[in-house]
Amino acid sequence: MAVMMQAFYWDSPKHDKKEGEWWNFVAEKVEDLSNAGFSALWLPPVSKGSDHASMGYDPYDYFDLGDFDQKGGTKTYYGNRAELEALIAKAHKHGIGLYADMVINHNSGADEEEVNPLDGEKRWTKFNPKSGKFPRDWNCFHPSRYEQVMMEGENFAGFPHLCHRNPVVYTAMFEYARFLIEELGFDGFRFDFVKGFGAWIIGLLAKYRYVKDGKEFTPYVVGEMWSGGEDIGQWLDKVNKLTDTQIAAFDFPLRYKLKDVCDKPSYDLRNLTDDGAVVMKRPMHAATFVDNHDMGDNAIVNDKMMAYSFIMVHEGYPSIFWYDYYNNGLARPLTPNGIDALIIAHQKYAGGDSQILHADPDLYIMQRVGFKDDSVDQPGLIYVLNNLGDKWSGTSVKTKWANQKFAPIAWDGHDDAHPDERTTDADGNSEFPAPPRGFAIYAPV
């Protein structure tokens, strides 16, 4: 019952002409996003990077949120601390949480080169941030006296990589995480490039006993493990042994399947049913998505609503990409054909287990069986995905509902026709169609 918005895209402040004003721009959208049903916003890195117009994935001063004149300017690409705090306060007022993007391995923008005495190599590892917090030198990076070789993960872009086993680094990361949650008011973390450092540090930061509003607080935590299903599964096993199994991972395997669904018309929809995707094997630990700021030339080009429909009716925590919602115009408010309609379907109906009722190369039909307790009443739904490009397609399936009328609540595809209501027989059988290269969602009424 939660939907996340990735509230930025690559160079979004520049492309939307909001350089230094992104926090204010997002704040202007908060009320509409709340009304649409969004539960949380994932924000880009808030700290000053190697340049004031950096996206923040090259952190220089973790505690400069746009208030110190360094690296070419005072504000970050997104704004300053006061504007960020105003955004967080407004989001919370409207029932929306905030997730901070954590870049805790590679750093950039050092002030001086220095020789690392362990190997005699000269590197840019001397940092003197104007915030006065977390100054660092060669011993804060690999190789260090605390850990000469990176035993886990891999390097990235030639940046110096923090050695978390150094108590100075370890302490600074705890202080930074605590600062984000307890002082700024963030509600969770998205950890960047988790294959680049040990899972143990994420486990420890997640398990810290944060306090918000006078009460202990457990943040939502999701990692960017950009890899295949087996690697992601091993990482989840490792990191969740250190926590109360609270940590999720972005579902990259599913995302690449969905790209093939959208951009390869001959794709076999039966591939969606295997356990290669995180959501099929570990639904409680899956953060599903369609595109993000890193995809670049690999972004989905065709029929993207097919992908969004899939993540919005299945288990997992779906993430909507700002660029698709706003710049690509896929929100389509007050229609049954856009992301807003899918959010309604997700929030009001998509409860209980997913059960695949039919799958062949060109047609996929699934039911959510529904869920109800003292606070939730989601009656379930029928979802149809049609890969044929030239005609409506459906087939008779046996649902869990006998003698039940169903109304179409969301649909899209290569035909403007309206799906009709359906009624199951005494055994729960009925035919449920979807438009060409499209989808239809039916809800019991």
Side-chain angles (χ1 to χ4, degrees), residues 112-359:
E112 297 178 40
E113 282 186 294
E114 55 184 354
V115 174
N116 186 316
L118 297 181
D119 62 5
E121 294 289 328
K122 198 172 186 180
R123 298 181 180 89
W124 288 91
T125 50
K126 190 73 172 177
F127 288 72
N128 297 299
K130 283 192 175 181
S131 70
K133 296 183 178 180
F134 194 30
R136 45 215 187 269
D137 62 13
W138 67 268
N139 208 27
C140 292
F141 300 94
H142 291 101
S144 165
R145 296 202 186 278
Y146 297 91
E147 189 173 51
Q148 292 196 32
V149 180
M150 291 186 68
M151 300 302 294
E152 301 181 66
E154 51 189 61
N155 291 320
F156 177 75
F159 293 156
H161 283 63
L162 290 171
C163 174
H164 298 131
R165 297 193 187 278
N166 181 331
V168 171
V169 177
Y170 182 95
T171 301
M173 293 299 98
F174 266 107
E175 177 58 21
Y176 181 56
R178 190 203 61 77
F179 168 67
L180 292 170
I181 297 289
E182 297 185 352
E183 294 188 35
L184 295 180
F186 276 96
D187 304 284
F189 304 124
R190 177 264 186 188
F191 280 91
D192 181 65
F193 194 64
V194 300
K195 66 169 64 176
F197 53 96
W200 62 272
I201 186 67
I202 294 180
L204 293 177
L205 293 177
K207 283 290 288 180
Y208 181 78
R209 300 175 72 169
Y210 299 95
V211 176
K212 285 185 69 176
D213 302 321
K215 301 177 182 178
E216 287 200 6
F217 176 79
T218 300
Y220 173 75
V221 180
V222 60
E224 182 209 27
M225 182 66 179
W226 196 336
S227 192
E230 184 176 349
D231 288 344
I232 294 174
Q234 291 174 358
W235 181 80
L236 283 169
D237 285 341
K238 187 181 299 183
V239 75
N240 279 311
K241 284 180 181 178
L242 305 167
T243 69
D244 298 323
T245 66
Q246 74 198 70
I247 297 178
F250 281 105
D251 197 341
F252 282 90
L254 176 63
R255 187 269 168 188
Y256 284 103
K257 289 174 183 285
L258 293 175
K259 176 174 173 57
D260 287 343
V261 169
C262 297
D263 289 343
K264 296 180 180 179
S266 61
Y267 185 76
D268 189 335
L269 296 183
R270 291 174 296 184
N271 292 332
L272 294 172
T273 68
D274 64 29
D275 65 359
V278 181
V279 72
M280 293 297 178
K281 195 170 184 179
R282 301 167 178 259
M284 296 298 294
H285 295 129
T288 55
F289 71 103
V290 170
D291 266 332
N292 67 24
H293 63 294
D294 279 328
M295 289 304 165
D297 292 340
N298 194 252
I300 294 173
V301 176
N302 302 296
D303 303 316
K304 190 172 278 191
M305 286 302 300
M306 295 176 73
Y308 274 114
S309 72
F310 192 92
I311 69 168
M312 296 299 285
V313 297
H314 286 79
E315 291 97 334
Y317 189 173
S319 177
I320 307 299
F321 190 29
W322 178 285
Y323 190 85
D324 287 336
Y325 191 81
Y326 285 113
N327 302 70
N328 279 342
L330 296 185
R332 300 172 185 167
L334 305 179
T335 78
N337 313 122
I339 290 174
D340 278 5
L342 293 177
I343 294 174
I344 293 171
H346 175 85
Q347 303 283 38
K348 293 184 64 175
Y349 298 99
D353 292 338
S354 296
Q355 297 177 350
I356 299 169
L357 304 180
H358 176 88

Side-chain angles (χ1 to χ4, degrees), residues 9 57 70 112 124 150 189 290 352 355 374 379 400 425 430:
Y9 59 95
Y57 289 95
Q70 57 184 342
E112 297 178 40
W124 288 91
M150 291 186 68
F189 304 124
V290 170
Q355 297 177 350
D374 292 340
K400 61 158 285 188
D425 63 20
S430 186

Side-chain angles (χ1 to χ4, degrees), residues 57-133:
Y57 289 95
D58 52 352
Y60 168 76
D61 188 341
Y62 282 94
F63 296 91
D64 177 7
L65 307 188
D67 300 303
F68 295 90
D69 186 1
Q70 57 184 342
K71 298 303 173 185
T74 300
K75 279 191 172 185
T76 71
Y77 212 11
Y78 311 108
N80 59 28
R81 176 172 176 170
E83 292 162 347
L84 174 61
E85 289 180 323
L87 165 59
I88 293 171
K90 186 174 183 180
H92 284 162
K93 179 181 177 181
H94 289 278
I96 294 178
L98 288 303
Y99 303 148
D101 207 320
M102 300 285 282
V103 186
I104 67 166
N105 50 340
H106 45 269
N107 287 187
S108 188
D111 300 294
E112 297 178 40
E113 282 186 294
E114 55 184 354
V115 174
N116 186 316
L118 297 181
D119 62 5
E121 294 289 328
K122 198 172 186 180
R123 298 181 180 89
W124 288 91
T125 50
K126 190 73 172 177
F127 288 72
N128 297 299
K130 283 192 175 181
S131 70
K133 296 183 178 180

